[in-house]
Amino acid sequence: MNRAEKTTLFTALIAVISFMLIQLFHGELYRPIPQAVNLFLHSAMELLNFAISFTILVLGWLFFIKSLSRQRLYTAALFSMVGIFDMLHALTMEGMPFYHEVGTVSLSLVYAVSAQLIGSLGLFLIFRADDRPVPSASRQPVFLSAICCGLLLAVLLYSISKWPVAQLFSDTSWNVLQIFATVLILTAYGASIGTLLYRNRNDRPQALLTVVQSLIFFLFASLQFCLSSSIHDTDMLVGHLYKLAGYYYLMKGIYYVTIEEPFKEQERSEARINYLAYHDELTGLSNRRLLTERLHDEIQRAQQNGNRLAVLLMDIDRFKTINDALGHTFGDQMLLAVSHRLREAAAMPERVFRMGGDEFVLLLPDLTETLAAKEQAQLLMRLFDKPFLLDQAEYHVTISVGISFYPEDGQSVDILMKNADTAMYNAKIHRNEFATYVPRMNVKAHDRLRLESDLHRALEEEQFALAYQPLVNLATNKVVGVEALVRWHHPQRGLLPPGEFISLTEENGLILPLGEWVLRAACLQNKAWQDAGLPPMMMSVNLSMRQFRQHQLADRIKSILDQTGMHAKYLELEITESMTSDVEFATETLTSLKKLGVQISIDDFGTGYSSLVYLKRFPIDKLKIDRSFVTDLTKGGSDAAIVTTITSMAKNLKLRVTAEGVENAEQIRFLRERQCEEAQGYYFTKPIPAGLFENWYKHRSHSA
């Protein structure tokens, strides 16, 4: 039970207990009130009632018109009518200039009962209907209609009171009408209370409960009027006090609905807008805008104090791969976990900012030496030694950190941030490192931007070419396939290996058209070799993460096979372990590829984090042992054990095994002993262009 509900219950108890006490001690409390005193008190209370009715009208007419609702509008219009009858009731009281009798009853009582009937029945009809927004243009016709109807009814009652037939009203007939009207009024108030509480049983705002409190007092006012034996007694006075309390709470409820709640909602909206303007919506950390303002202030303060200032720009390594492999929802969870860890580790969390994407910034003001910033960078990287537990699985991630200092590396926000970003990209070359800015890094950054620009032209002008590295069967010593490897013939820089540009294409999305070009060119070449009389062999092509998650990948590959005329059984698609993290998606995609008839291999096996439990579910044909395990294969150590384990496991799973990076005869002998089927590497040949490969193949065949 919230505070507003407790207040409503307490108010209801006060009304009930006060009514019971009045009835219990009725004999002692009952007193006739002198006419002059009663006239003064009654007139004052009715004047207050009219003022409150007018206030309710004004609240509904003037304030927060854009949030005007049907209940607000109709309630304000209703009490403009009720206010008219309350005022007429006061003006026609005994002792007032417009006093008039209708039979044995005063016209004042007729107006009083009419006001109660209009108010109770009107509120019941208003709250029984659904509330909904209404246009501000409807205010004038609704209010004019209510006031006109009220005035016409008042004039009609006054006119009827002048008719001779009205003099036939006796006390008995009036009592019957009054009892009937009271029952109707009490029923309407009770039904209104029940309707409000039931229709809003799940959410009861303060304004609604305040209206309920007013209805409770209106109900007890009607009961008290019914029990009164004279218009000049204490029962009638108490009834008017209940009525005045009801008006007060009704005005309070209308005030909440009309002014306070819209005002608070507007304040909340403004606060939310202001918060979002300076904070990241996902992580709750301060955002780039607030970073700019804070950094500007810290620069000015450092300038005045003669201190240093450090900007540490952090970026999650291989986050794009994580995002592509596991989806953006998982990526958001990872960002939340990273931000939480950074916030907890920072001495002052308000100095941690999210730049956007997977970039975060830590400000270190008031430095006397640069060593403190470097120690902080090392501390930040150590935070990521512990894996993240997400979706009941552990994930290891690392960060790269770039550092720039004020005043050495810049004296403005833009320059400090640019240089920290440059240092971060320099650290990202090796990953899980930090780097402090030095001017020569700008040359590398400029080269990177220029290279990215050149990539677009390279695709348009087809500056790329393929080199081929053979796959040799270790049992027969025959070439059974080739792996297609892309090279870039840069007009100024010469032949560039994939390590210098593939990461850029993955970042800017050019990997998709480049990957499609590589696949088409490799299939065309393999078909050309077959047409030239070379024995059919397997063509291996690497798929990038973005290609693997590309929409309708199987259809795209089928289209390329149809266009080039190469049979699907001679195409081998190489994926990495990281692509299989999303098991359901990987299984579905690999199954659709296998239906084409292509072969599937997992490249760089042993360096990722694929689960052996799920590995057997994937429709794959081959495991390729990463070259990092093959390099030191014959030196004893764990690499030999790892290769032995992989080959043994693959044999049990009925998978072929290819060893990459083979460079000497000792490695070949070791692999043959472990029943590794295939090998590739410099021992046979470096990757060579198509024409040289054809000559190499023919020469090797004749030599054999």
Side-chain angles (χ1 to χ4, degrees), residues 563-631:
Q563 292 170 16
T564 59
M566 192 184 86
H567 199 285
K569 67 180 180 179
Y570 298 121
L571 176 62
E572 181 177 85
L573 299 174
E574 296 186 11
I575 64 171
T576 60
E577 288 180 85
S578 58
M579 298 183 194
T580 64
S581 301
D582 187 342
V583 177
E584 297 302 324
F585 176 81
T587 303
E588 181 182 348
T589 303
L590 292 174
T591 301
S592 64
L593 292 175
K594 283 297 292 181
K595 287 180 180 177
L596 297 178
V598 302
Q599 301 288 297
I600 305 290
S601 67
I602 295 186
D603 195 16
D604 301 334
F605 187 77
T607 61
Y609 44 85
S610 60
S611 169
L612 298 181
V613 175
Y614 293 121
L615 190 61
K616 63 182 182 181
R617 289 179 49 184
F618 299 140
I620 58 177
D621 304 283
K622 182 196 295 185
L623 301 179
K624 298 189 73 173
I625 302 174
D626 186 66
R627 66 181 64 249
S628 61
F629 301 121
V630 177
T631 302

Side-chain angles (χ1 to χ4, degrees), residues 222-268:
S222 299
L223 278 175
Q224 198 65 39
F225 289 145
C226 183
L227 296 173
S228 174
S229 56
S230 170
I231 61 172
H232 301 132
D233 60 12
T234 50
D235 285 337
M236 186 64 72
L237 179 63
V238 171
H240 278 94
L241 290 174
Y242 278 136
K243 179 182 173 184
L244 185 60
Y247 268 97
Y248 166 74
Y249 280 107
L250 182 64
M251 182 186 68
K252 191 175 178 182
I254 298 298
Y255 170 80
Y256 280 137
V257 172
T258 307
I259 294 181
E260 185 158 320
E261 287 186 352
F263 181 73
K264 286 183 177 179
E265 181 62 32
Q266 182 172 322
E267 280 189 326
R268 286 192 293 268

Side-chain angles (χ1 to χ4, degrees), residues 117 119-124 182-193 215:
L117 275 171
S120 60
L121 293 175
L123 287 174
F124 172 71
T182 301
V183 171
L184 195 59
I185 291 167
L186 294 175
T187 303
Y189 282 137
S192 297
I193 293 170
L215 294 174

